[in-house]
Amino acid sequence: MLNIVTRATSESQVNVQARKGSRGDSKLWASAHQPFEEGSIAFNTQVIEHPGSSYSNIAGELGSPGDHDMGHDSQLLHMKGNYGATQLSALLSNTRIDSANNLQSYPSEDWDIQRRFMDIGRRQTISEHTHWQFNLTINQMENKAFILSQSVGSPESFFITDSTSYLLDTFIQTELNNETSFILGSSYDKLEGDNVSAGTLNTEIDSWRYTLYSQINHKVSDSGRLIAGAQYLSLIHI
């Protein structure tokens, strides 16, 4: 295993690690962190390559006949930062799997999974006893793979599952006294996506939900707390 620290100081840090295995697998990690006057930013990345072994199918067995690899590789990038009362987190990742023959109904290979994620939030002080908080989250994922022809009785084709979700949440919290606090908030989330197999749309999702909520927290003792809340929910599915 090779471990290299390229730079490490009290103000900024960069760390790189690499490993090469005896069977051809390799891993690379790298991270960087930089503070500044009113916040900081950090990056983490990871690259993995794993050739794996292979297996053989004969005609009549589950999946298509022939030799199939079982390797996988992935790439990941994560960023996290803050500036004052605002925080941001983002993630990009891609994973490729040579074979996914464990899917009994539709054995598949060359499976590619991509994910994109972002969350931004802010906490703002309104007064000595009251603050406001806001969060926006976006999450997107796409799965794509070959369907092996023997299991579906047709030429090789792709299946693709694509989905995107959004979540917006905001609330105000105020301290009524030393023992009691009150929260009033609302949230909105939306999910949309579809599944396409061999060029045919199998599933389509388009739904959203709106929520209003309130909550009272009351400290009854050093080890006990009483919580009461109410919620209104409106859900629409198309």
Side-chain angles (χ1 to χ4, degrees):
M1 178 176 178
L2 174 66
N3 183 16
I4 305 173
V5 179
T6 57
R7 185 182 178 192
T9 70
S10 59
E11 294 185 356
S12 60
Q13 294 183 354
V14 176
N15 183 42
V16 178
Q17 299 182 38
R19 187 179 74 179
K20 184 72 173 180
S22 59
R23 296 188 177 182
D25 59 309
S26 60
K27 295 183 180 181
L28 174 67
W29 300 269
S31 63
H33 177 262
Q34 177 62 55
F36 47 90
E37 186 175 353
E38 296 188 31
S40 65
I41 188 168
F43 291 91
N44 292 280
T45 186
Q46 176 179 279
V47 179
I48 298 176
E49 292 185 1
H50 182 72
S53 57
S54 62
Y55 67 93
S56 298
N57 271 350
I58 62 175
E61 290 185 324
L62 182 64
S64 64
D67 296 329
H68 301 275
D69 294 326
M70 297 181 65
H72 62 85
D73 56 66
S74 62
Q75 304 84 37
L76 181 145
L77 175 64
H78 178 228
M79 187 274 285
K80 186 176 182 180
N82 65 84
Y83 181 79
T86 302
Q87 296 185 345
L88 172 67
S89 180
L91 175 74
L92 300 174
S93 70
N94 181 74
T95 301
R96 182 194 57 81
I97 304 173
D98 287 329
S99 178
N101 207 37
N102 58 317
L103 300 178
Q104 187 168 358
S105 298
Y106 290 97
S108 58
E109 61 185 5
D110 296 330
W111 196 355
D112 188 76
I113 304 170
Q114 297 183 11
R115 185 185 178 199
R116 293 165 290 276
F117 171 87
M118 185 192 74
D119 179 80
I120 183 170
R122 181 176 177 85
R123 181 184 176 93
Q124 184 71 42
T125 299
I126 300 175
S127 66
E128 181 181 357
H129 301 289
T130 303
H131 71 263
W132 166 75
Q133 186 163 320
F134 161 90
N135 271 92
L136 172 64
T137 303
I138 302 173
N139 192 13
Q140 185 177 24
M141 182 175 291
E142 181 184 83
N143 299 333
K144 182 178 181 180
F146 271 117
I147 303 173
L148 299 181
S149 58
Q150 181 173 328
S151 64
V152 295
S154 62
E156 282 188 342
S157 56
F158 283 109
F159 79 81
I160 302 174
T161 301
D162 194 1
S163 64
T164 304
S165 63
Y166 308 89
L167 172 63
L168 174 63
D169 182 77
T170 183
F171 67 86
I172 292 177
Q173 181 172 356
T174 184
E175 304 293 332
L176 302 178
N177 51 52
N178 293 334
E179 291 80 26
T180 307
S181 64
F182 176 72
I183 297 174
L184 178 64
S186 66
S187 65
Y188 170 85
D189 61 271
K190 179 176 176 63
L191 174 64
E192 56 188 21
D194 54 48
N195 176 272
V196 177
S197 178
T200 301
L201 179 64
N202 294 324
T203 307
E204 186 173 13
I205 299 174
D206 189 356
S207 64
W208 63 270
R209 178 175 60 183
Y210 178 77
T211 306
L212 290 172
Y213 60 90
S214 62
Q215 180 176 307
I216 294 179
N217 304 317
H218 180 69
K219 182 180 179 181
V220 295
S221 65
D222 291 339
S223 59
R225 184 182 296 268
L226 179 64
I227 300 174
Q231 176 178 277
Y232 170 79
L233 173 65
S234 176
L235 174 65
I236 295 181
H237 177 74
I238 301 175

